[in-house]
Short mmCIF file of all heavy atoms in Angstrom, two decimals:
data_model
loop_
_atom_site.label_atom_id
_atom_site.label_comp_id
_atom_site.label_asym_id
_atom_site.label_seq_id
_atom_site.Cartn_x
_atom_site.Cartn_y
_atom_site.Cartn_z
N ALA A 252 23.42 -14.93 -18.80
CA ALA A 252 23.33 -13.55 -18.31
C ALA A 252 24.13 -13.39 -17.03
O ALA A 252 24.83 -12.38 -16.85
CB ALA A 252 21.87 -13.17 -18.09
N GLU A 253 24.05 -14.38 -16.15
CA GLU A 253 24.81 -14.32 -14.90
C GLU A 253 26.32 -14.28 -15.19
O GLU A 253 27.05 -13.48 -14.62
CB GLU A 253 24.46 -15.54 -14.04
CG GLU A 253 25.13 -15.53 -12.68
CD GLU A 253 26.28 -16.49 -12.57
OE1 GLU A 253 26.34 -17.45 -13.36
OE2 GLU A 253 27.13 -16.29 -11.71
N ARG A 254 26.77 -15.08 -16.11
CA ARG A 254 28.20 -15.08 -16.46
C ARG A 254 28.61 -13.78 -17.15
O ARG A 254 29.71 -13.28 -16.94
CB ARG A 254 28.51 -16.29 -17.32
CG ARG A 254 28.43 -17.58 -16.52
CD ARG A 254 28.79 -18.77 -17.36
NE ARG A 254 28.72 -19.97 -16.56
CZ ARG A 254 27.91 -21.00 -16.83
NH1 ARG A 254 27.13 -20.96 -17.88
NH2 ARG A 254 27.91 -22.05 -16.05
N TYR A 255 27.73 -13.25 -17.98
CA TYR A 255 28.02 -11.99 -18.66
C TYR A 255 28.20 -10.86 -17.63
O TYR A 255 29.15 -10.09 -17.69
CB TYR A 255 26.90 -11.66 -19.64
CG TYR A 255 27.13 -10.38 -20.41
CD1 TYR A 255 28.16 -10.28 -21.34
CD2 TYR A 255 26.32 -9.28 -20.21
CE1 TYR A 255 28.37 -9.11 -22.06
CE2 TYR A 255 26.52 -8.11 -20.92
CZ TYR A 255 27.55 -8.03 -21.83
OH TYR A 255 27.76 -6.87 -22.53
N VAL A 256 27.28 -10.79 -16.65
CA VAL A 256 27.38 -9.76 -15.62
C VAL A 256 28.65 -9.95 -14.80
O VAL A 256 29.35 -8.98 -14.49
CB VAL A 256 26.12 -9.75 -14.72
CG1 VAL A 256 26.32 -8.87 -13.50
CG2 VAL A 256 24.91 -9.30 -15.52
N ARG A 257 28.96 -11.20 -14.46
CA ARG A 257 30.21 -11.46 -13.73
C ARG A 257 31.41 -10.95 -14.55
O ARG A 257 32.34 -10.37 -13.99
CB ARG A 257 30.38 -12.94 -13.45
CG ARG A 257 29.49 -13.43 -12.35
CD ARG A 257 29.79 -14.91 -12.05
NE ARG A 257 28.80 -15.47 -11.19
CZ ARG A 257 28.81 -15.38 -9.86
NH1 ARG A 257 29.78 -14.75 -9.26
NH2 ARG A 257 27.84 -15.92 -9.15
N GLY A 258 31.37 -11.17 -15.84
CA GLY A 258 32.46 -10.69 -16.70
C GLY A 258 32.55 -9.18 -16.73
O GLY A 258 33.64 -8.61 -16.72
N LEU A 259 31.41 -8.52 -16.76
CA LEU A 259 31.41 -7.06 -16.74
C LEU A 259 31.98 -6.51 -15.44
O LEU A 259 32.53 -5.41 -15.42
CB LEU A 259 29.99 -6.53 -16.95
CG LEU A 259 29.37 -6.76 -18.32
CD1 LEU A 259 27.93 -6.27 -18.32
CD2 LEU A 259 30.18 -6.10 -19.41
N LEU A 260 31.86 -7.28 -14.37
CA LEU A 260 32.34 -6.83 -13.06
C LEU A 260 33.81 -7.15 -12.82
O LEU A 260 34.37 -6.74 -11.80
CB LEU A 260 31.48 -7.44 -11.95
CG LEU A 260 30.02 -7.02 -11.95
CD1 LEU A 260 29.23 -7.79 -10.92
CD2 LEU A 260 29.88 -5.52 -11.75
N THR A 261 34.45 -7.86 -13.75
CA THR A 261 35.87 -8.16 -13.59
C THR A 261 36.71 -6.91 -13.87
O THR A 261 36.21 -5.91 -14.39
CB THR A 261 36.34 -9.28 -14.55
OG1 THR A 261 36.26 -8.79 -15.90
CG2 THR A 261 35.52 -10.54 -14.39
N GLU A 262 37.97 -7.01 -13.55
CA GLU A 262 38.88 -5.89 -13.83
C GLU A 262 39.50 -5.98 -15.22
O GLU A 262 40.36 -5.17 -15.56
CB GLU A 262 39.95 -5.85 -12.75
CG GLU A 262 39.37 -5.50 -11.39
CD GLU A 262 40.43 -5.33 -10.33
OE1 GLU A 262 41.62 -5.20 -10.67
OE2 GLU A 262 40.07 -5.33 -9.15
N HIS A 263 39.08 -6.94 -16.02
CA HIS A 263 39.61 -7.08 -17.38
C HIS A 263 39.32 -5.79 -18.15
O HIS A 263 38.20 -5.28 -18.12
CB HIS A 263 38.95 -8.27 -18.07
CG HIS A 263 39.68 -8.69 -19.29
ND1 HIS A 263 39.57 -8.03 -20.49
CD2 HIS A 263 40.55 -9.71 -19.50
CE1 HIS A 263 40.32 -8.62 -21.39
NE2 HIS A 263 40.93 -9.64 -20.82
N ASN A 265 39.14 -5.08 -21.43
CA ASN A 265 38.31 -5.18 -22.63
C ASN A 265 37.12 -6.09 -22.34
O ASN A 265 37.31 -7.28 -22.10
CB ASN A 265 39.11 -5.73 -23.80
CG ASN A 265 40.30 -4.86 -24.11
OD1 ASN A 265 40.19 -3.65 -24.17
ND2 ASN A 265 41.46 -5.47 -24.27
N LYS A 266 35.94 -5.53 -22.40
CA LYS A 266 34.76 -6.31 -22.02
C LYS A 266 33.86 -6.52 -23.22
O LYS A 266 32.98 -5.71 -23.51
CB LYS A 266 34.04 -5.62 -20.88
CG LYS A 266 34.94 -5.61 -19.66
CD LYS A 266 34.29 -5.06 -18.46
CE LYS A 266 35.23 -5.27 -17.30
NZ LYS A 266 35.39 -4.21 -16.42
N ASN A 267 34.11 -7.60 -23.92
CA ASN A 267 33.23 -8.05 -24.99
C ASN A 267 33.06 -9.56 -24.82
O ASN A 267 33.68 -10.17 -23.96
CB ASN A 267 33.77 -7.67 -26.37
CG ASN A 267 35.19 -8.13 -26.57
OD1 ASN A 267 35.52 -9.28 -26.30
ND2 ASN A 267 36.04 -7.23 -27.03
N TYR A 268 32.21 -10.17 -25.61
CA TYR A 268 31.87 -11.57 -25.34
C TYR A 268 33.06 -12.52 -25.44
O TYR A 268 33.16 -13.48 -24.68
CB TYR A 268 30.69 -12.05 -26.17
CG TYR A 268 30.94 -12.16 -27.65
CD1 TYR A 268 31.47 -13.31 -28.20
CD2 TYR A 268 30.60 -11.11 -28.49
CE1 TYR A 268 31.69 -13.41 -29.57
CE2 TYR A 268 30.81 -11.21 -29.85
CZ TYR A 268 31.35 -12.36 -30.38
OH TYR A 268 31.56 -12.46 -31.73
N ILE A 271 35.31 -11.81 -22.21
CA ILE A 271 34.59 -12.27 -21.01
C ILE A 271 34.63 -13.79 -20.94
O ILE A 271 34.86 -14.36 -19.88
CB ILE A 271 33.15 -11.73 -20.98
CG1 ILE A 271 33.17 -10.22 -20.70
CG2 ILE A 271 32.31 -12.47 -19.94
CD1 ILE A 271 31.82 -9.54 -20.81
N VAL A 274 37.78 -15.04 -19.34
CA VAL A 274 38.07 -14.77 -17.93
C VAL A 274 37.03 -15.31 -16.95
O VAL A 274 37.28 -15.35 -15.76
CB VAL A 274 38.30 -13.26 -17.66
CG1 VAL A 274 39.50 -12.74 -18.43
CG2 VAL A 274 37.06 -12.44 -17.94
N VAL A 275 35.86 -15.73 -17.44
CA VAL A 275 34.82 -16.27 -16.57
C VAL A 275 34.72 -17.77 -16.80
O VAL A 275 34.37 -18.21 -17.89
CB VAL A 275 33.46 -15.58 -16.82
CG1 VAL A 275 32.37 -16.20 -15.96
CG2 VAL A 275 33.55 -14.08 -16.57
N LEU A 287 23.62 -12.06 -26.25
CA LEU A 287 23.57 -10.67 -26.72
C LEU A 287 22.78 -10.50 -28.01
O LEU A 287 22.35 -9.39 -28.32
CB LEU A 287 24.98 -10.13 -26.89
CG LEU A 287 25.80 -10.08 -25.61
CD1 LEU A 287 27.23 -9.63 -25.90
CD2 LEU A 287 25.15 -9.17 -24.58
N ILE A 319 23.81 -6.32 -7.73
CA ILE A 319 23.47 -7.60 -8.36
C ILE A 319 24.03 -8.72 -7.52
O ILE A 319 25.21 -8.78 -7.25
CB ILE A 319 24.01 -7.66 -9.80
CG1 ILE A 319 23.38 -6.55 -10.61
CG2 ILE A 319 23.74 -9.03 -10.41
CD1 ILE A 319 23.97 -6.37 -11.96
#
Side-chain angles (χ1 to χ4, degrees):
E253 184 255 339
R254 290 182 179 120
Y255 181 67
V256 170
R257 285 184 191 275
L259 292 176
L260 296 174
T261 67
E262 293 185 15
H263 196 282
N265 301 314
K266 295 185 173 137
N267 53 48
Y268 68 87
I271 289 173
V274 298
V275 177
L287 298 175
I319 299 171

